[in-house]
Amino acid sequence: MATEAKRDVTGGRLEQSEYAENFTDYHPPLNGHEAAVEADRCYFCYDAPCMTACPTSIDVPLFIRQIAANNPKGAARTIFEQNILGGMCARVCPTETLCEEACVREAAEGKPVKIGQLQRFATDTLMNSGGDHPFERAEPTGRKIAVVGAGPAGLSCAHRLALHGHDVTVFEAREKGGGLSEYGIAAYKSVNDFAQKELQFILDIGGIKIETGKKLGTDISVEALAEQYDAVFLGIGLANVNALGIDGEDADGCEDAVDYIAQLRQASDLSKLQVGRSVVVIGGGMTAIDVATQTKLLGAEEVTIAYRRGQDAMNASEYEQELAQTNGVTIRHWLQPKSLVLHDDGSVAGIELEYTSQSNGTLSGTGKTVTLAADQVFKAIGQRFDDDPLAGSGLELDRGRIRTDDNRKTNLNNVWAGGDCVRSGEDLTVVSVEDGKIAAESIHATLSA
């Protein structure tokens, strides 16, 4: 079906002041008094469940006790010892489903200690202090390690290796390091160029250099790196976006949510970013929430998330879903894409969705449909691994991602991998950080043997 009207996609839907207000820090940091009051709520539990729930095993009771004792820099060091990206994780981690969900105050009162905000208070205090770096690099070992990917996994691995005295070269395909921290999260979660400030903080330990514009499979290869370096770590993430599987999804106006978020993150003037009057997002994870919320904040009048299952099955937490709805996003469940509606010029005019039902865990279409008008349709149904850059390397895959052991070691003698590109990847920044740390310790142990 085609329509004669034109898509309504433009920039400048808001006053300049509205952009600044909409994309300000969504969670203003705690001040010293607020942090002290919140820290006093902690029971400092023995065998604390919040610590167990943290993928990087941060000693949560200890760092909160240090804040309570007016030692936020000491608290930051406690955090950074386990998670060198603790500042970003404090901003983007789904603490409501990790440490805070495990908090005993959550179980008893439904109001957990604000662990994420306390973590941010501590890490920001240290990073803004301008003092000495909290870690001192060991004596150089003369060993050289290549890290592919300057995202959370790669940077975590690089920092831990540099801490042990190894020389690390990080190869990054994009113009900037940071990975998803720089390109992939909602702009209101990380403001004031924090991703680059955190990157510099990591590099300040010394022994790490980053070479940007170096893409695996084009400019570098696993085989060459394995020959030139004592060890290689792959933190290459997920490069491809899953397709909707419907005809015409290459039409003008049917866009990858990941790419759009990256454009938004790098935009120097948000008023120049093109956004539709009516937007439909397909998906139920954090990317769907982030692109939907941000298009609404850019001035879209109607934004709808369509998800094929019920609310409980959405990967985005209830908190994030509520955040989107608070900003005017409509979330509709039990709908899957069937076909795109196009204008006469072949651009997107809307999307036809089919109602779904589930029986014994099996999802199926009901045959009943609804059509939503849309100037933009965003694909946010997950990403998948691109194994083309690994062709000829001999690396073994497991169900479409790199196979590793518990130490993030691949089947190749001197190659490790971690983050979203490995089979156990969980699409969380904090999990990627832990992967990089585990791999670094395994590499160090291997090179020290």
Side-chain angles (χ1 to χ4, degrees):
M1 181 173 70
T3 64
E4 295 182 3
K6 297 293 185 181
R7 293 172 61 226
D8 186 354
V9 179
T10 186
R13 291 192 178 278
L14 306 174
E15 298 295 330
Q16 200 67 41
S17 60
E18 293 179 279
Y19 290 106
E21 181 180 353
N22 287 352
F23 287 90
T24 191
D25 201 334
Y26 196 80
H27 294 292
L30 301 176
N31 61 36
H33 174 71
E34 291 169 333
V37 170
E38 190 62 27
D40 280 342
R41 295 186 63 236
C42 182
Y43 288 139
F44 310 116
C45 305
Y46 174 77
D47 224 5
C50 57
M51 182 175 173
T52 303
C54 175
T56 57
S57 301
I58 293 172
D59 193 333
V60 176
L62 175 58
F63 93 69
I64 294 180
R65 186 183 294 274
Q66 289 169 309
I67 291 174
N70 196 28
N71 181 18
K73 291 183 181 179
R77 184 181 176 91
T78 296
I79 295 163
F80 287 136
E81 283 174 348
Q82 296 299 322
N83 182 349
I84 194 59
L85 279 80
M88 183 60 73
C89 286
R91 290 161 164 79
V92 304
C93 264
T95 53
E96 64 275 5
T97 61
L98 294 171
C99 54
E100 291 179 12
E101 183 178 61
C103 178
V104 295
R105 280 196 177 272
E106 167 64 21
E109 307 166 11
K111 187 178 180 181
V113 174
K114 298 175 182 177
I115 299 171
Q117 289 184 265
L118 288 173
Q119 179 169 314
R120 176 176 174 179
F121 171 76
T123 54
D124 281 5
T125 298
L126 189 149
M127 291 177 66
N128 293 333
S129 67
D132 294 333
H133 198 278
F135 299 105
E136 183 176 349
R137 190 178 179 221
E139 289 296 317
T141 63
R143 299 285 195 168
K144 300 188 304 178
I145 294 97
V147 171
V148 184
L155 293 176
S156 172
C157 183
H159 182 271
R160 184 58 65 104
L161 289 167
L163 186 65
H164 286 309
H166 306 301
D167 292 322
V168 184
T169 301
V170 181
F171 298 95
E172 168 55 42
R174 299 200 196 221
E175 296 179 355
K176 295 181 182 179
L180 288 178
S181 296
E182 175 62 38
Y183 292 97
I185 63 171
Y188 52 79
K189 294 180 181 178
S190 174
V191 301
N192 300 323
D193 210 21
F194 180 77
Q196 292 305 301
K197 293 176 183 176
E198 184 173 60
L199 173 60
Q200 188 57 54
F201 171 73
I202 291 170
L203 297 179
D204 282 345
I205 192 174
I208 306 172
K209 65 177 181 178
I210 297 183
E211 294 189 16
T212 56
K214 295 296 179 66
K215 186 176 181 180
L216 188 66
T218 302
D219 306 295
I220 54 176
S221 68
V222 173
E223 306 95 292
L225 294 176
E227 289 180 3
Q228 298 167 17
Y229 291 84
D230 295 298
V232 177
F233 175 79
L234 302 175
I236 53 180
L238 303 176
N240 291 336
V241 175
N242 289 329
L244 296 178
I246 58 177
D247 291 338
E249 63 179 283
D250 58 348
D252 187 19
C254 186
E255 306 180 36
D256 292 342
V258 172
D259 289 344
Y260 190 83
I261 292 172
Q263 293 175 40
L264 192 155
R265 291 280 302 170
Q266 300 306 306
S268 58
D269 183 354
L270 291 176
S271 69
K272 303 296 184 184
L273 201 62
Q274 301 288 296
V275 65
R277 185 179 298 276
S278 298
V279 174
V280 174
V281 179
I282 308 298
M286 280 308 309
T287 300
I289 294 292
D290 283 354
V291 75
T293 303
Q294 290 182 111
T295 52
K296 196 72 173 71
L297 294 176
L298 286 169
E301 292 182 5
E302 295 182 0
V303 179
T304 303
I305 293 175
Y307 179 57
R308 60 180 180 160
R309 299 184 187 273
Q311 179 183 5
D312 293 344
M314 292 183 71
N315 286 333
S317 68
E318 289 186 16
Y319 170 80
E320 293 289 348
Q321 293 176 49
E322 291 174 2
L323 172 64
Q325 291 168 321
T326 299
N327 281 284
V329 174
T330 300
I331 301 178
R332 298 184 64 170
H333 304 100
W334 305 109
L335 288 172
Q336 65 184 9
K338 184 174 182 181
S339 64
L340 288 174
V341 179
L342 304 178
H343 290 296
D344 288 340
D345 63 3
S347 64
V348 167
I351 184 167
E352 183 183 16
L353 301 158
E354 182 181 19
Y355 287 98
T356 60
S357 63
Q358 185 170 297
S359 178
N360 298 320
T362 301
L363 190 75
S364 59
T366 64
K368 297 180 180 180
T369 64
V370 61
T371 299
L372 301 180
D375 301 301
Q376 287 175 306
V377 172
F378 286 103
K379 297 179 282 187
I381 56 173
Q383 294 172 266
R384 54 189 169 84
F385 182 62
D386 179 10
D387 61 359
D388 287 346
L390 305 181
S393 68
L395 277 169
E396 292 180 356
L397 302 182
D398 179 6
R399 285 175 285 179
R401 301 196 197 185
I402 300 173
R403 181 195 297 275
T404 67
D405 62 18
D406 290 343
N407 292 317
R408 309 308 184 261
K409 176 76 167 57
T410 73
N411 63 296
L412 301 183
N413 285 335
N414 62 338
V415 179
W416 283 254
D420 295 341
C421 67
V422 304
R423 182 68 193 106
S424 59
E426 295 184 33
D427 195 26
L428 289 176
T429 298
V430 67
V431 173
S432 293
V433 171
E434 181 67 4
D435 274 5
K437 185 174 70 177
I438 290 171
E441 292 297 350
S442 177
I443 292 170
H444 177 63
T446 300
L447 297 181
S448 302

